[in-house]
Amino acid sequence: MYIVQIASECAPVIKAGGLGDVVYGLSRELEIQGHCVELILPKYDCMRYDHIWGLHEAYADLKVPWYGSVIYCTVHCGWVHGRLCFFIEPHSSENYFHRGVYYGAPDDPMRFAFFSKAALEFLQQSNKCPDVLHCHDWQTGLIPVMLYEMYQYHGLEFQRVCYTIHNFKHQGQTGYNVLEAIGLNRPDYYFHPDRLQDPFNPFALNLMKGGIVYSNYVTTVSPHHAWEARHTEIGCGLGHTLHMHQHKFSGVLNGIDYGFWDPEGDCYIPFPYSHDDFKSKARNKKALRKQLGLQDEEDKPIIAFIGRLDQQKGVHLVHHAIYYSLHHRAQFVLLGSATEAAINAQFWHEKNFLSGNPDCHLEISFNEELAHLIYAAADMVLVPSNYEPCGLTQIIGLKYGTVPVVRGVGGLVNTVFDRDYDADKKPEERNGYVFYQSDLPAMESAIARGVGLWYDYPKEFRKLAMQGMEYDYSWRNPATEYVEIYEGIRHQSEPAEPAEALKPLQQQTYGLPVSDASSLENR
Ligand SMILES: Nc1ncnc2c1ncn2[C@@H]1O[C@H](COP(=O)(O)OP(=O)(O)O[C@H]2O[C@H](CO)[C@@H](O)[C@H](O)[C@H]2O)[C@@H](O)[C@H]1O
């Protein structure tokens, strides 16, 4: 099969968080399984050019219609650790991808609407005929919309779309001018509850909703989160849309790329180790302490947090965990970066306050190399998220023999099994600590159980860590699931059969003629 991934990130060249890991890791595994994969990405000024090999100009004059005029783009081509990537660089006064950041500009919806349009133009003008386009998050939600409403009549009639949602919190709400820019000129048609109208603001378009409505298949990144998104407030208003499209929605648990995340072959850690040579992990702990200036005389467990400093990640609990660990004979290492000014200021304040503490280091930055060393050196990795669609840090922790201590939400429930209480797993299959409530005592008790085991039963702690290493959370199984999804949609013909179960509900809810509403259903 010929698959094109279209996304705003691909690790390690463009990585703000887990999306980048997934786009790269899934693409690599699909290639290993014999498929042809290409990636289309924006050409940001701030991406890590040192991870691109053979970057060269592939198409000099890609014309992208925009606001009734045209923006010229250069498409560059290069290999990111073996993956063939096309980077789109627009030439216009807006400088969409020359902002020094990946996200966070006030015109983000416009930037990524442009990217989506340019990606489709690129496919069309270069006569590429992939079987499947795999789009990710709100940034590419307009691709299936434009494909169905526009580009299928201009040469892209055989392409089907799989759309993956990594975070329901960010949906790309925007206004009418996006439609005008991309050339979809019937606002009443798109500002409709069955199409792109935002569930909370009738005057806004919701790009993620467009992705759900118009894609042939929609996934989120773990089975438990798929359930949460449909049935709880975590769907952030899109639960009803998911319900209407339930026949084409499911959760596929993320993997991680063991080519990149493997303590045995990790080029960023000084002392490689494995399940059979677990003792060498301790040498990395010493190396980290030396690098960060932590005291090494008295051995204590290191508890680590690595992640975006964001409400999603339970920053109030992270903050509390620092002090709780220090008061309970543990060291704490944090590596994180915040986009929200208030959270950034709070953690800088803590960093300054704790600066002389020999048992604590807060690193407020994005540092891939340091992240690897921390996973290798720490004893426990803390993931106290408010919600977590999948979570990669606990999965990486498991591979590195670093025991996860997590809140039981989203994909954390699908990957971490409590050592003391998980009745569904045999003791030898348990791999971490899970707490469920979002209050302080719940987290404290889970940390206390981990620290207690580390001090009182070190052999048992090591056994738990090594049990975690035995789990296979590689991309092998998830990629196979995606291939099944791709196979299922690539043979869908147009127009698709409407889902019988949805007809009455749709008629009843919106009073739309079935033919009109259902034409979107099975795209
Ligand atoms: N300061 C820093 N320095 C270096 N590395 C850092 C870092 N902060 C984070 N990272 C790295 O970025 C990745 C973050 O993974 P998460 O699962 O936490 O993703 P995130 O919440 O961004 O993405 C969303 O998408 C992913 C993928 O689908 C879901 O797992 C997740 O639940 C969802 O919220 C890990 O590889 C981590 O090591």
Side-chain angles (χ1 to χ4, degrees):
M1 229 183 314
Y2 176 13
I3 301 139
V4 171
Q5 302 272 349
I6 310 177
S8 54
E9 292 181 37
C10 172
V13 65
I14 308 165
K15 175 167 167 177
L19 169 62
D21 287 302
V22 169
V23 170
Y24 180 85
L26 174 60
S27 301
R28 178 170 179 267
E29 179 62 32
L30 289 170
E31 282 189 31
I32 291 170
Q33 296 191 9
H35 303 284
C36 171
V37 183
E38 292 174 358
L39 294 92
I40 304 180
L41 305 158
K43 184 171 180 289
Y44 302 96
D45 56 349
C46 54
M47 62 189 189
R48 296 228 7 206
Y49 285 86
D50 55 326
H51 284 289
I52 311 175
W53 280 262
L55 189 64
H56 63 278
E57 204 174 284
Y59 294 85
D61 283 323
L62 181 77
K63 282 187 203 167
V64 181
W66 193 244
Y67 273 119
S69 175
V70 158
I71 292 181
Y72 284 88
C73 298
T74 306
V75 182
H76 304 261
C77 172
W79 283 264
V80 173
H81 296 263
R83 311 284 78 72
L84 180 59
C85 299
F86 293 95
F87 298 94
I88 295 182
E89 179 185 30
H91 303 290
S92 74
S93 55
E94 287 90 358
N95 286 320
Y96 282 136
F97 304 116
H98 283 252
R99 305 292 182 82
V101 288
Y102 300 134
Y103 312 121
D107 61 344
D108 274 0
M110 221 30 130
R111 296 169 68 213
F112 291 103
F114 179 82
F115 169 64
S116 300
K117 175 100 180 156
L120 286 166
E121 285 291 334
F122 172 55
L123 291 171
Q124 186 209 40
Q125 292 179 36
S126 60
N127 290 321
K128 287 182 181 288
C129 290
D131 299 297
V132 171
L133 309 180
H134 193 159
C135 301
H136 300 265
D137 271 351
W138 71 264
Q139 290 88 349
T140 53
L142 278 174
I143 286 180
V145 181
M146 288 188 277
L147 187 72
Y148 183 71
E149 299 289 357
M150 205 183 246
Y151 284 87
Q152 68 160 325
Y153 307 109
H154 300 279
L156 297 179
E157 70 261 49
F158 298 116
Q159 282 61 46
R160 302 290 174 261
V161 181
C162 175
Y163 180 61
T164 296
I165 297 171
H166 300 258
N167 199 333
F168 280 92
K169 184 76 184 295
H170 307 286
Q171 300 180 358
Q173 284 94 348
T174 183
Y176 160 72
N177 51 348
V178 164
L179 293 179
E180 217 184 338
I182 61 179
L184 291 179
N185 294 322
R186 288 186 291 160
D188 293 348
Y189 177 77
Y190 296 104
F191 274 93
H192 188 284
D194 270 359
R195 295 189 183 86
L196 273 75
Q197 188 181 56
D198 186 69
F200 297 119
N201 177 357
F203 304 107
L205 290 171
N206 184 311
L207 305 189
M208 180 172 279
K209 184 172 167 182
I212 297 171
V213 171
Y214 280 87
S215 293
N216 299 81
Y217 203 88
V218 181
T219 67
T220 188
V221 289
S222 68
H224 188 61
H225 192 61
W227 180 88
E228 288 174 337
R230 273 191 62 198
H231 299 290
T232 74
E233 76 292 348
I234 282 170
C236 299
L238 291 179
H240 178 71
T241 306
L242 292 173
H243 176 73
M244 301 297 277
H245 295 269
Q246 58 184 289
H247 60 287
K248 59 171 192 184
F249 175 61
S250 69
V252 178
L253 188 69
N254 282 337
I256 55 168
D257 180 5
Y258 286 162
F260 194 64
W261 296 110
D262 177 6
E264 211 172 349
D266 190 328
C267 58
Y268 296 132
I269 66 172
F271 303 105
Y273 62 97
S274 65
H275 183 272
D276 299 331
D277 170 32
F278 192 70
K279 283 201 181 96
S280 295
K281 182 169 166 64
R283 300 172 73 192
N284 291 295
K285 189 172 182 179
K286 279 188 171 296
L288 179 74
R289 282 176 172 155
K290 192 165 175 214
Q291 182 169 329
L292 301 183
L294 297 175
Q295 71 91 3
D296 193 28
E297 290 77 54
E298 185 193 350
D299 198 14
K300 294 180 174 183
I302 296 183
I303 299 174
F305 171 86
I306 301 176
R308 293 180 293 105
L309 295 169
D310 180 293
Q311 292 304 348
Q312 173 190 346
K313 301 293 178 186
V315 278
H316 70 294
L317 290 176
V318 174
H319 177 260
H320 183 72
I322 298 171
Y323 290 94
Y324 184 82
S325 306
L326 295 177
H327 286 123
H328 291 81
R329 303 183 293 162
Q331 295 183 316
F332 200 96
V333 173
L334 174 145
L335 171 61
S337 53
T339 44
E340 234 179 85
I343 297 178
N344 190 44
Q346 181 195 3
F347 278 90
W348 271 103
H349 171 81
E350 295 306 334
K351 182 180 167 66
N352 294 331
F353 183 72
L354 291 163
S355 68
N357 192 308
D359 286 325
C360 182
H361 183 90
L362 310 188
E363 186 69 33
I364 319 261
S365 67
F366 193 95
N367 186 332
E368 184 76 56
E369 290 80 356
L370 180 59
H372 285 247
L373 180 56
I374 296 174
Y375 285 118
D379 296 285
M380 285 169 259
V381 60
L382 179 68
V383 194
S385 305
N386 281 321
Y387 71 96
E388 195 60 79
C390 176
L392 300 181
T393 52
Q394 83 284 5
I395 299 181
I396 301 169
L398 287 169
K399 182 69 181 170
Y400 282 70
T402 305
V403 175
V405 179
V406 308
R407 177 140 182 259
V409 291
L412 299 166
V413 167
N414 297 122
T415 49
V416 182
F417 311 105
D418 192 278
R419 177 187 182 274
D420 302 320
Y421 299 122
D422 197 311
D424 296 332
K425 291 276 177 196
K426 292 183 211 146
E428 62 272 21
E429 291 175 348
R430 300 176 191 170
N431 59 13
Y433 293 97
V434 184
F435 61 97
Y436 290 92
Q437 305 305 321
S438 59
D439 54 28
L440 306 182
M443 181 185 68
E444 286 175 0
S445 86
I447 295 177
R449 287 190 289 133
V451 172
L453 193 73
W454 190 93
Y455 273 109
D456 301 335
Y457 301 96
K459 279 192 186 147
E460 287 297 312
F461 189 89
R462 201 160 48 244
K463 198 169 128 200
L464 181 64
M466 289 168 70
Q467 281 176 196
M469 292 178 93
E470 281 167 18
Y471 270 83
D472 177 4
Y473 287 124
S474 70
W475 271 106
R476 202 157 40 99
N477 293 332
T480 307
E481 274 188 65
Y482 275 112
V483 169
E484 278 167 20
I485 289 170
Y486 300 158
E487 288 288 2
I489 60 177
R490 74 188 274 220
H491 298 300
Q492 268 178 20
S493 57
E494 286 297 334
E497 281 291 307
E500 291 299 318
L502 296 179
K503 281 187 198 169
L505 187 59
Q506 213 153 24
Q507 274 176 327
Q508 186 187 311
T509 315
Y510 298 127
L512 256 191
V514 170
S515 58
D516 191 6
S518 61
S519 67
L520 296 172
E521 280 300 321
N522 281 308
R523 270 287 306 152

